[in-house]
Amino acid sequence: MVLALTVCGLVVVLVAVALFVFHLRRRLIQRSGGTFDCSLRWDAPEKSDTSGKGWGYGIARYNGDRIEWFRIFSYAPRPRRVLERSAIEVAGRRTPDGEEELALLADQIVLACVHRGTRLELAMSEDALTGFLAWLEAAPPGQRVNVA
C-alpha cells in the first residue's frame, strides 16, 4: 500500500514538474516580446490540402530580420525553424477548410509561403497576419520583398 501511494505521488510530482517546465519555457520565449501564436506546416502540398495533417502548433517570435518558430509541446530551448525575412515569398492566403478547421485555432488565416524553395503554410490570427505582413514590407531599403 505504501509503495502504491509513493508511486502515485511520484507520478503526480513528475506531471506537475513537466507542466511547470512547459509554462516556464513559454514565458522565457515570450520574455523578449514580439511573439504570436502560429501554426506551421512545413513542405506543404502544391494544392490546398484540407485534411489537417502536418500542422504543428507553436509560437513565432520576431528577432531582427528573422522569425523564430518554436514548437509548443517541446522542451527544446532553440527554435525548430528560422525564417529569414529576405527569403520569404508570400504566395497567397485562405481560410481553413474541412478537417483543417479542427487542426487549427479558431479564426486563423492560412498564409501560403515559399522559403528558400520550400513550400510552407503559416496559420495565425487576423491581427498577427497584419503584423506579419507589415514586418515583411518593412524590410530595409535594397532588400526584395515578395508579398502577393
Side-chain angles (χ1 to χ4, degrees):
M1 183 67 166
V2 173
L3 180 62
L5 288 175
T6 304
V7 170
C8 288
L10 187 60
V11 168
V12 168
V13 168
L14 288 175
V15 168
V17 167
L19 291 174
F20 176 76
V21 171
F22 274 130
H23 177 74
L24 180 65
R25 178 179 171 267
R26 184 173 178 129
R27 291 292 163 227
L28 290 173
I29 291 169
Q30 292 177 326
R31 186 173 65 184
S32 63
T35 61
F36 57 96
D37 290 331
C38 178
S39 297
L40 177 121
R41 179 159 55 176
W42 196 257
D43 283 331
E46 287 290 326
K47 53 183 216 169
S48 293
D49 175 19
T50 60
S51 68
K53 294 180 181 175
W55 285 103
Y57 181 61
I59 302 169
R61 176 175 68 187
Y62 297 105
N63 188 0
D65 284 339
R66 303 180 316 168
I67 292 274
E68 298 172 334
W69 186 80
F70 298 85
R71 187 178 278 283
I72 197 75
F73 297 112
S74 172
Y75 292 110
R78 295 185 182 181
R80 175 80 175 224
R81 302 281 183 201
V82 177
L83 308 173
E84 294 86 15
R85 178 176 14 209
S86 61
I88 299 173
E89 297 177 31
V90 176
R93 71 176 89 172
R94 62 182 175 81
T95 57
D97 196 26
E99 293 178 28
E100 198 172 48
E101 289 179 287
L102 301 173
L104 300 173
L105 294 174
D107 298 325
Q108 285 195 321
I109 307 295
V110 177
L111 192 65
C113 300
V114 178
H115 182 264
R116 300 196 188 283
T118 302
R119 292 182 48 78
L120 62 104
E121 292 179 325
L122 300 167
M124 60 190 84
S125 69
E126 188 74 42
D127 292 340
L129 177 63
T130 301
F132 180 79
L133 294 175
W135 175 79
L136 276 179
E137 292 174 358
Q143 284 189 356
R144 64 176 180 85
V145 177
N146 298 313
V147 178

